[in-house]
Amino acid sequence: MINKSALITGASGGLGADLARQLAGRGYDVVLVARSVEPMESLADEIRRNHGVTATLLPTDLSIAGSAKVLAERLAAEGIEPDLLVNNAGFGLSEPFLDHDPERLRMMLQLNIVSLTELTHFIGRDMRRRGRGHILLVASVAGYMPDPLLAAYGASKAYVLSLGVALNVELAPQVGVTVLSPGYMETGFSAASGFKASPSLRRGALKSDDVAKIGLDALFAGRSSVVAGRINAFGALATRLISRHALARQVFRISGGGQK
Ligand SMILES: NC(=O)c1ccc[n+]([C@@H]2O[C@H](COP(=O)([O-])OP(=O)(O)OC[C@H]3O[C@@H](n4cnc5c(N)ncnc54)[C@H](OP(=O)(O)O)[C@@H]3O)[C@@H](O)[C@H]2O)c1
């Protein structure tokens, strides 16, 4: 019997590596996508050894314009038709908006928004043709609120949340789409994004392994979106109770905005 296959972006570490391990544990052949080859090679070896599925590397820089199309063409050339797509690769810019380096800002928007959308579009079309498929989009609790000092990152995740919840309705029942919104996790994210987590955020952090399970369970249960962790879920819900302006001011205060 031929295994189903799953393509995971951002699979060189953090949440993406855990999603790849767990999908392999559920019997999927995995296709790993990120820039760093070495960590993906050792993950692929581990996955083959532990789960007896195939693990293919397609190193790609998804912050380059047009890279999603090139990736889709490489998949077609290799005869890989993913049954499941995880759009997980992403990073943030944690600093005042006007201090962002313009090229880093462009790269973040290309990765978090454009490549994610294009991959969903290319691979979603194949899934529609075959009449089945699953797509998991990784957003963030930051997507539930305006985020001064993480403004463009938060807005990119609000886009992911809105796109995914809309597609869950539009592509059903053939293609299942779910948005996973993690809160803070101890991964490579902080270093990549210049994000300094407060001690309380660190204390409440969920393990990326647990967050991966929450996301996949929600995906296979057909849920539209899931916020990982009860406290994060409560926080996301509470954002509906106050105005977006008041919320932005509160997030600014908590993030140390205005303090010198
Ligand atoms: N950690 C958190 O606190 C947190 C909270 C909420 C949401 N999230 C979201 O969770 C997702 C996973 O992040 P993480 O926490 O696992 O962080 P991470 O450990 O930094 O992992 C990010 C992954 O994205 C890949 N990536 C980065 N730039 C890329 C590019 N240009 N092209 C292709 N792949 C690229 C990285 O691999 P390479 O560097 O090898 O390319 C890595 O595999 C992200 O979307 C993030 O925004 C994280």
Side-chain angles (χ1 to χ4, degrees):
M1 200 180 81
I2 300 169
N3 288 339
K4 288 186 173 179
S5 67
L7 183 148
I8 304 104
T9 70
S12 65
L15 180 61
D18 284 319
L19 284 160
R21 286 186 184 97
Q22 292 186 24
L23 282 164
R26 293 179 192 229
Y28 281 81
D29 289 333
V30 292
V31 181
L32 309 178
V33 175
R35 292 167 303 178
S36 317
V37 173
E38 239 175 74
M40 286 198 290
E41 273 173 349
S42 45
L43 177 63
D45 285 345
E46 176 201 316
I47 281 176
R48 290 180 198 118
R49 213 173 35 245
N50 291 348
H51 303 292
V53 298
T54 69
T56 307
L57 268 59
L58 290 180
T60 308
D61 184 345
L62 291 168
S63 70
I64 296 173
S67 54
K69 183 163 183 276
V70 172
L71 179 57
E73 286 165 358
R74 284 171 73 192
L75 286 171
E78 304 235 357
I80 301 171
E81 293 190 319
D83 298 284
L84 193 151
L85 165 66
V86 180
N87 266 308
N88 160 77
F91 74 96
L93 291 171
S94 177
E95 61 189 358
F97 176 71
L98 297 179
D99 293 349
H100 293 351
D101 172 73
E103 177 56 11
R104 292 268 299 156
L105 176 60
R106 188 207 58 75
M107 286 167 69
M108 185 189 73
L109 298 177
Q110 179 73 38
L111 177 64
N112 294 10
I113 296 180
V114 181
S115 290
L116 173 143
T117 307
E118 291 179 344
L119 268 186
T120 301
H121 190 240
F122 290 132
I123 295 178
R125 284 177 156 200
D126 281 345
M127 289 176 173
R128 179 180 64 183
R129 184 176 44 76
R130 284 180 285 140
R132 65 187 157 82
H134 285 97
I135 301 176
L136 184 68
L137 303 181
V138 178
S140 166
V141 290
Y144 281 81
M145 59 198 85
D147 304 276
L149 302 177
L150 260 174
Y153 171 72
S156 76
K157 293 302 188 176
Y159 171 88
V160 175
L161 178 62
S162 181
L163 178 77
V165 172
L167 293 184
N168 172 277
V169 172
E170 189 179 321
L171 304 190
Q174 287 94 348
V175 182
V177 181
T178 299
V179 182
L180 165 63
S181 291
Y184 179 69
M185 303 173 287
E186 303 267 359
T187 60
F189 176 82
S190 295
S193 311
F195 183 74
K196 289 189 186 65
S198 65
S200 71
L201 260 190
R202 285 215 296 275
R203 270 196 304 278
L206 295 187
K207 293 201 180 92
S208 54
D209 184 40
D210 294 328
V211 174
K213 181 173 182 336
I214 290 167
L216 294 180
D217 286 349
L219 179 64
F220 292 121
R223 290 183 61 181
S224 167
S225 63
V226 62
V227 176
R230 256 181 293 171
I231 296 173
N232 292 328
F234 177 75
L237 191 64
T239 61
R240 297 193 189 163
L241 303 176
I242 60 173
S243 77
R244 293 178 70 75
H245 176 67
L247 191 56
R249 287 174 64 98
Q250 199 172 322
V251 172
F252 190 48
R253 241 189 338 267
I254 293 169
S255 318
Q259 287 171 12
K260 291 278 167 206

Short mmCIF file of all heavy atoms in Angstrom, two decimals, residues 9-16 33-36 60-63 88-91 107 111-112 138-141 153 157 182-189 192, ligand 1:
data_model
loop_
_atom_site.label_atom_id
_atom_site.label_comp_id
_atom_site.label_asym_id
_atom_site.label_seq_id
_atom_site.Cartn_x
_atom_site.Cartn_y
_atom_site.Cartn_z
N THR A 9 6.49 22.87 5.76
CA THR A 9 7.47 23.95 5.63
C THR A 9 7.98 24.33 7.02
O THR A 9 7.27 24.17 8.02
CB THR A 9 6.88 25.20 4.94
OG1 THR A 9 5.94 25.83 5.81
CG2 THR A 9 6.22 24.87 3.62
N GLY A 10 9.21 24.82 7.06
CA GLY A 10 9.80 25.16 8.36
C GLY A 10 10.09 23.91 9.16
O GLY A 10 9.91 23.87 10.38
N ALA A 11 10.57 22.86 8.44
CA ALA A 11 10.75 21.55 9.08
C ALA A 11 12.17 21.32 9.56
O ALA A 11 12.53 20.20 9.91
CB ALA A 11 10.34 20.45 8.09
N SER A 12 13.00 22.37 9.61
CA SER A 12 14.38 22.16 10.07
C SER A 12 14.51 22.27 11.58
O SER A 12 15.59 22.04 12.13
CB SER A 12 15.33 23.17 9.39
OG SER A 12 15.00 24.48 9.80
N GLY A 13 13.44 22.62 12.27
CA GLY A 13 13.52 22.73 13.73
C GLY A 13 12.18 23.14 14.31
O GLY A 13 11.19 23.27 13.58
N GLY A 14 12.15 23.33 15.63
CA GLY A 14 10.97 23.88 16.30
C GLY A 14 9.69 23.09 16.03
O GLY A 14 9.69 21.86 15.93
N LEU A 15 8.61 23.82 15.90
CA LEU A 15 7.29 23.22 15.72
C LEU A 15 7.22 22.37 14.45
O LEU A 15 6.62 21.28 14.44
CB LEU A 15 6.24 24.34 15.66
CG LEU A 15 4.79 23.95 15.47
CD1 LEU A 15 4.29 23.06 16.62
CD2 LEU A 15 3.91 25.21 15.35
N GLY A 16 7.84 22.85 13.37
CA GLY A 16 7.77 22.12 12.09
C GLY A 16 8.39 20.74 12.19
O GLY A 16 7.86 19.77 11.63
N VAL A 33 10.72 20.92 4.10
CA VAL A 33 11.11 22.16 3.41
C VAL A 33 11.58 23.20 4.41
O VAL A 33 10.88 23.46 5.40
CB VAL A 33 9.90 22.72 2.60
CG1 VAL A 33 10.26 24.06 1.96
CG2 VAL A 33 9.44 21.73 1.55
N ALA A 34 12.75 23.75 4.19
CA ALA A 34 13.30 24.88 4.96
C ALA A 34 14.61 25.23 4.25
O ALA A 34 14.92 24.66 3.19
CB ALA A 34 13.55 24.51 6.42
N ARG A 35 15.40 26.14 4.83
CA ARG A 35 16.68 26.49 4.18
C ARG A 35 17.83 25.62 4.68
O ARG A 35 18.73 25.27 3.93
CB ARG A 35 17.01 27.96 4.46
CG ARG A 35 16.07 28.94 3.79
CD ARG A 35 16.25 30.33 4.35
NE ARG A 35 16.04 30.34 5.79
CZ ARG A 35 16.17 31.40 6.57
NH1 ARG A 35 16.52 32.55 6.05
NH2 ARG A 35 15.94 31.30 7.87
N SER A 36 17.84 25.27 5.98
CA SER A 36 19.01 24.59 6.57
C SER A 36 18.98 23.09 6.28
O SER A 36 18.09 22.38 6.76
CB SER A 36 19.03 24.79 8.08
OG SER A 36 18.72 26.12 8.39
N THR A 60 14.48 24.96 0.40
CA THR A 60 13.91 26.10 -0.33
C THR A 60 13.94 27.33 0.58
O THR A 60 13.62 27.22 1.76
CB THR A 60 12.42 25.81 -0.69
OG1 THR A 60 12.34 24.56 -1.35
CG2 THR A 60 11.84 26.90 -1.58
N ASP A 61 14.27 28.47 0.01
CA ASP A 61 14.13 29.74 0.73
C ASP A 61 12.82 30.38 0.31
O ASP A 61 12.71 30.95 -0.78
CB ASP A 61 15.32 30.66 0.42
CG ASP A 61 15.25 31.94 1.24
OD1 ASP A 61 14.18 32.25 1.82
OD2 ASP A 61 16.28 32.64 1.31
N LEU A 62 11.81 30.27 1.17
CA LEU A 62 10.47 30.75 0.82
C LEU A 62 10.32 32.26 1.01
O LEU A 62 9.23 32.80 0.83
CB LEU A 62 9.42 29.99 1.64
CG LEU A 62 9.25 28.52 1.27
CD1 LEU A 62 8.42 27.78 2.32
CD2 LEU A 62 8.59 28.38 -0.11
N SER A 63 11.42 32.95 1.37
CA SER A 63 11.34 34.41 1.43
C SER A 63 11.71 35.04 0.09
O SER A 63 11.72 36.25 -0.06
CB SER A 63 12.25 34.96 2.54
OG SER A 63 13.61 34.80 2.17
N ASN A 88 4.00 26.10 7.89
CA ASN A 88 4.45 26.43 9.25
C ASN A 88 5.60 27.44 9.27
O ASN A 88 5.75 28.18 10.24
CB ASN A 88 4.88 25.11 9.92
CG ASN A 88 5.79 25.35 11.11
OD1 ASN A 88 5.34 25.74 12.19
ND2 ASN A 88 7.10 25.13 10.92
N ALA A 89 6.42 27.48 8.20
CA ALA A 89 7.61 28.35 8.22
C ALA A 89 7.20 29.80 8.47
O ALA A 89 6.23 30.29 7.90
CB ALA A 89 8.35 28.26 6.88
N GLY A 90 7.93 30.46 9.36
CA GLY A 90 7.62 31.86 9.63
C GLY A 90 8.61 32.44 10.62
O GLY A 90 9.28 31.70 11.35
N PHE A 91 8.73 33.75 10.62
CA PHE A 91 9.50 34.42 11.67
C PHE A 91 8.88 35.79 11.92
O PHE A 91 7.96 36.22 11.20
CB PHE A 91 10.99 34.52 11.31
CG PHE A 91 11.35 35.54 10.26
CD1 PHE A 91 11.79 36.80 10.61
CD2 PHE A 91 11.25 35.25 8.91
CE1 PHE A 91 12.13 37.76 9.65
CE2 PHE A 91 11.58 36.18 7.93
CZ PHE A 91 12.02 37.45 8.31
N MET A 107 11.14 40.18 3.41
CA MET A 107 11.32 38.72 3.52
C MET A 107 10.24 38.11 4.42
O MET A 107 9.68 37.05 4.12
CB MET A 107 12.69 38.39 4.11
CG MET A 107 13.84 38.60 3.15
SD MET A 107 15.44 38.56 4.00
CE MET A 107 15.55 36.84 4.47
N LEU A 111 7.48 35.42 3.23
CA LEU A 111 7.43 34.08 3.83
C LEU A 111 6.07 33.83 4.52
O LEU A 111 5.40 32.84 4.25
CB LEU A 111 8.56 33.95 4.86
CG LEU A 111 8.63 32.64 5.67
CD1 LEU A 111 8.91 31.45 4.75
CD2 LEU A 111 9.70 32.73 6.76
N ASN A 112 5.72 34.77 5.43
CA ASN A 112 4.55 34.53 6.28
C ASN A 112 3.24 34.64 5.52
O ASN A 112 2.25 33.99 5.89
CB ASN A 112 4.50 35.54 7.45
CG ASN A 112 5.63 35.38 8.44
OD1 ASN A 112 6.57 34.63 8.20
ND2 ASN A 112 5.58 36.09 9.55
N VAL A 138 -0.16 27.62 10.13
CA VAL A 138 0.27 28.02 11.48
C VAL A 138 0.24 29.55 11.57
O VAL A 138 0.97 30.25 10.87
CB VAL A 138 1.68 27.48 11.81
CG1 VAL A 138 2.11 27.96 13.18
CG2 VAL A 138 1.69 25.95 11.75
N ALA A 139 -0.65 30.03 12.43
CA ALA A 139 -0.74 31.48 12.71
C ALA A 139 -0.08 31.72 14.06
O ALA A 139 1.03 31.25 14.34
CB ALA A 139 -2.20 31.93 12.68
N SER A 140 -0.77 32.42 14.96
CA SER A 140 -0.20 32.74 16.28
C SER A 140 -1.30 33.42 17.10
O SER A 140 -2.21 34.04 16.52
CB SER A 140 0.97 33.72 16.11
OG SER A 140 1.33 34.29 17.36
N VAL A 141 -1.18 33.38 18.42
CA VAL A 141 -2.10 34.20 19.23
C VAL A 141 -1.91 35.68 18.87
O VAL A 141 -2.85 36.47 19.02
CB VAL A 141 -1.93 33.98 20.75
CG1 VAL A 141 -2.42 32.63 21.19
CG2 VAL A 141 -0.50 34.21 21.19
N TYR A 153 4.41 41.59 12.07
CA TYR A 153 4.31 40.14 12.30
C TYR A 153 2.88 39.77 12.71
O TYR A 153 2.29 38.84 12.15
CB TYR A 153 5.30 39.70 13.38
CG TYR A 153 5.11 38.26 13.82
CD1 TYR A 153 5.48 37.21 12.99
CD2 TYR A 153 4.57 37.95 15.07
CE1 TYR A 153 5.29 35.88 13.38
CE2 TYR A 153 4.38 36.64 15.47
CZ TYR A 153 4.74 35.61 14.62
OH TYR A 153 4.55 34.30 15.00
N LYS A 157 0.04 37.36 10.82
CA LYS A 157 -0.64 36.19 11.39
C LYS A 157 -2.15 36.37 11.41
O LYS A 157 -2.90 35.39 11.33
CB LYS A 157 -0.08 35.90 12.79
CG LYS A 157 1.39 35.45 12.76
CD LYS A 157 1.58 34.19 11.91
CE LYS A 157 2.98 33.61 12.02
NZ LYS A 157 3.13 32.35 11.27
N PRO A 182 -0.36 28.98 17.95
CA PRO A 182 0.38 28.74 19.20
C PRO A 182 0.56 30.04 19.97
O PRO A 182 0.56 31.13 19.39
CB PRO A 182 1.75 28.25 18.70
CG PRO A 182 1.65 28.08 17.23
CD PRO A 182 0.51 28.92 16.77
N GLY A 183 0.75 29.91 21.29
CA GLY A 183 1.30 31.00 22.07
C GLY A 183 2.80 30.81 22.12
O GLY A 183 3.37 30.06 21.30
N TYR A 184 3.47 31.45 23.08
CA TYR A 184 4.93 31.37 23.12
C TYR A 184 5.42 29.93 23.30
O TYR A 184 4.90 29.19 24.13
CB TYR A 184 5.47 32.25 24.26
CG TYR A 184 6.96 32.19 24.35
CD1 TYR A 184 7.75 32.76 23.36
CD2 TYR A 184 7.59 31.51 25.39
CE1 TYR A 184 9.13 32.66 23.40
CE2 TYR A 184 8.97 31.42 25.45
CZ TYR A 184 9.73 31.99 24.44
OH TYR A 184 11.09 31.89 24.47
N MET A 185 6.42 29.53 22.50
CA MET A 185 7.10 28.23 22.64
C MET A 185 8.60 28.51 22.63
O MET A 185 9.05 29.42 21.93
CB MET A 185 6.79 27.31 21.46
CG MET A 185 5.34 27.02 21.19
SD MET A 185 5.12 26.08 19.63
CE MET A 185 5.43 27.33 18.38
N GLU A 186 9.36 27.68 23.35
CA GLU A 186 10.83 27.81 23.35
C GLU A 186 11.38 27.10 22.12
O GLU A 186 11.67 25.91 22.16
CB GLU A 186 11.42 27.16 24.61
CG GLU A 186 10.89 27.70 25.93
CD GLU A 186 11.76 28.83 26.48
OE1 GLU A 186 12.77 29.17 25.84
OE2 GLU A 186 11.39 29.37 27.54
N THR A 187 11.47 27.83 21.02
CA THR A 187 12.01 27.27 19.76
C THR A 187 13.05 28.24 19.24
O THR A 187 13.48 29.14 19.97
CB THR A 187 10.87 27.13 18.73
OG1 THR A 187 10.34 28.45 18.51
CG2 THR A 187 9.75 26.21 19.20
N GLY A 188 13.38 28.12 17.98
CA GLY A 188 14.31 29.07 17.37
C GLY A 188 13.67 30.43 17.11
O GLY A 188 14.33 31.36 16.66
N PHE A 189 12.35 30.53 17.37
CA PHE A 189 11.61 31.76 17.03
C PHE A 189 12.20 33.01 17.67
O PHE A 189 12.36 34.04 17.01
CB PHE A 189 10.14 31.59 17.45
CG PHE A 189 9.30 32.82 17.22
CD1 PHE A 189 8.77 33.09 15.97
CD2 PHE A 189 9.06 33.72 18.25
CE1 PHE A 189 8.01 34.24 15.75
CE2 PHE A 189 8.30 34.86 18.04
CZ PHE A 189 7.77 35.12 16.78
N ALA A 192 15.38 34.08 15.99
CA ALA A 192 15.14 34.51 14.60
C ALA A 192 14.39 35.85 14.56
O ALA A 192 14.52 36.60 13.59
CB ALA A 192 14.33 33.45 13.87
N1 LIG B 1 7.80 30.02 19.00
C1 LIG B 1 6.80 30.83 19.25
O1 LIG B 1 6.74 31.45 20.33
C2 LIG B 1 5.67 30.98 18.28
C3 LIG B 1 4.45 31.51 18.73
C4 LIG B 1 3.40 31.64 17.83
C5 LIG B 1 3.55 31.26 16.52
N2 LIG B 1 4.75 30.76 16.09
C6 LIG B 1 4.86 30.37 14.67
O2 LIG B 1 5.19 29.00 14.60
C7 LIG B 1 5.85 28.74 13.34
C8 LIG B 1 7.06 27.88 13.60
O3 LIG B 1 8.01 28.64 14.33
P1 LIG B 1 8.94 28.01 15.46
O4 LIG B 1 8.47 28.52 16.76
O5 LIG B 1 9.07 26.54 15.26
O6 LIG B 1 10.29 28.79 15.12
P2 LIG B 1 11.69 28.25 14.54
O7 LIG B 1 12.23 27.22 15.46
O8 LIG B 1 12.48 29.49 14.28
O9 LIG B 1 11.29 27.54 13.18
C9 LIG B 1 11.00 28.28 12.02
C10 LIG B 1 11.12 27.39 10.81
O10 LIG B 1 10.86 28.19 9.65
C11 LIG B 1 11.94 28.01 8.73
N3 LIG B 1 12.18 29.19 7.93
C12 LIG B 1 12.55 30.42 8.36
N4 LIG B 1 12.77 31.22 7.32
C13 LIG B 1 12.55 30.47 6.20
C14 LIG B 1 12.65 30.74 4.81
N5 LIG B 1 13.03 31.93 4.36
N6 LIG B 1 12.33 29.74 3.94
C15 LIG B 1 11.97 28.52 4.39
N7 LIG B 1 11.87 28.21 5.70
C16 LIG B 1 12.17 29.19 6.58
C17 LIG B 1 13.16 27.72 9.62
O11 LIG B 1 14.15 26.98 8.92
P3 LIG B 1 15.45 27.61 8.21
O12 LIG B 1 15.93 28.72 9.09
O13 LIG B 1 16.33 26.43 8.14
O14 LIG B 1 14.99 28.06 6.88
C18 LIG B 1 12.52 26.80 10.68
O15 LIG B 1 12.47 25.48 10.21
C19 LIG B 1 6.14 30.11 12.73
O16 LIG B 1 5.18 30.37 11.72
C20 LIG B 1 5.95 31.08 13.89
O17 LIG B 1 5.57 32.35 13.47
C21 LIG B 1 5.81 30.61 16.93
#
